[in-house]
Amino acid sequence: DAGVTQSPTHLIKTRGQQVTLRCSPKSGHDTVSWYQQALGQGPQFIFQYYEEEERQRGNFPDRFSGHQFPNYSSELNVNALLLGDSALYLCASSLVVRTDTQYFGPGTRLTVL
Amino acid sequence: AQRVTQPEKLLSVFKGAPVELKCNYSYSGSPELFWYVQYSRQRLQLLLRHISRESIKGFTADLNKGETSFHLKKPFAQEEDSAMYYCALVNDYKLSFGAGTTVTVRA
């Protein structure tokens, strides 16, 4: 089991563009959470998906949206990119009954120019 | 709203010396607290959780509700303990992380 995988590894976009990041959860996991980690900061919770629905959301604008597919994989979409969206985006998977125990992916480094 | 504070950005200790990473939290209710660690070129991973009261890699952490703290301790630091450490609190399915402490263990 490769654990949680994310793609792409790195991404460069310009302001105003849209981006889609992808995540495959650890085998057997059904819940996916997304985090934004700015330089020098801890991860900040964006939202969590379970049964293809957004279950919980952090303090992020509607420009940040997501999706979960029947195979439990997930996408994070960010519209109208701002310079401040430059960060490492982490995906974490868990079992719905144990969302306190999350397994993290390696992250996608997004740079907005 | 819950908040996790790690007052030290950097911590440098000698090998064999004790190490303590501070974590304070604000939360109305009974918190569930964790320590996550990220070693160089590896992904973020769970180190320990307060509820299981376990010792992992020689680290322990005690929840002090009176002081709202969950400090991480190890009596004898090893070079392989050099890493980034994050204290985290879970509420309503989401993890709230502190800003992290970078630990460097010198030979």
Side-chain angles (χ1 to χ4, degrees):
Chain A
D1 179 19
V4 179
T5 60
Q6 292 185 243
S7 64
T9 307
H10 297 89
L11 205 50
I12 299 175
K13 291 286 188 178
T14 55
R15 279 179 297 176
Q17 284 189 311
Q18 178 264 343
V19 69
T20 298
L21 311 182
R22 295 177 176 81
C23 171
S24 290
K26 181 178 167 64
S27 178
H29 284 182
D30 54 14
T31 303
V32 173
S33 302
W34 286 94
Y35 296 82
Q36 180 195 66
Q37 187 173 19
L39 205 59
Q41 301 296 319
Q44 300 293 311
F45 177 81
I46 303 175
F47 42 53
Q48 185 180 93
Y49 276 83
Y50 170 65
E51 289 191 334
E52 303 178 47
E53 301 229 342
E54 185 182 287
R55 191 180 185 212
Q56 182 64 270
R57 188 179 182 93
N59 294 325
F60 280 81
D62 292 345
R63 298 187 297 109
F64 289 77
S65 63
H67 189 77
Q68 186 181 33
F69 299 94
N71 66 352
Y72 307 116
S73 67
S74 177
E75 289 182 349
L76 164 64
N77 300 292
V78 187
N79 294 322
L81 284 167
L82 304 173
L83 296 179
D85 295 332
S86 295
L88 181 68
Y89 288 85
L90 296 169
C91 170
S93 73
S94 58
L95 291 170
V96 67
V97 292
R98 290 304 306 271
T99 52
D100 59 325
T101 304
Q102 298 189 14
Y103 291 78
F104 283 82
T108 293
R109 172 72 61 187
L110 172 65
T111 301
V112 182
L113 302 176
Chain B
Q2 67 266 25
R3 186 183 183 94
V4 178
T5 304
Q6 294 178 251
E8 304 139 329
K9 276 274 190 197
L10 301 168
L11 202 55
S12 181
V13 298
F14 283 107
K15 178 182 173 181
V19 61
E20 180 180 36
L21 288 75
K22 291 183 168 45
C23 171
N24 291 92
Y25 67 90
S26 62
Y27 181 71
S28 54
S30 291
E32 283 191 63
L33 286 150
F34 307 81
W35 278 98
Y36 276 78
V37 61
Q38 187 166 27
Y39 301 103
S40 179
R41 290 186 292 277
Q42 293 187 28
R43 58 188 69 187
L44 194 60
Q45 59 185 289
L46 178 66
L47 179 62
L48 58 79
R49 68 185 78 216
H50 92 271
I51 203 165
S52 50
R53 303 185 65 83
E54 57 198 347
S55 172
I56 303 292
K57 299 184 179 182
F59 284 98
T60 59
D62 290 319
L63 177 61
N64 186 323
K65 291 186 180 180
E67 295 183 0
T68 59
S69 68
F70 187 56
H71 302 329
L72 183 68
K73 302 175 186 179
K74 185 169 182 176
F76 308 104
Q78 302 300 313
E79 290 180 75
E80 56 265 29
D81 297 327
S82 295
M84 187 74 166
Y85 292 81
Y86 294 95
C87 183
L89 179 156
V90 70
N91 176 44
D92 265 349
Y93 319 121
K94 59 184 179 184
L95 282 169
S96 297
F97 287 86
T101 298
T102 301
V103 172
T104 302
V105 181
R106 293 174 288 167

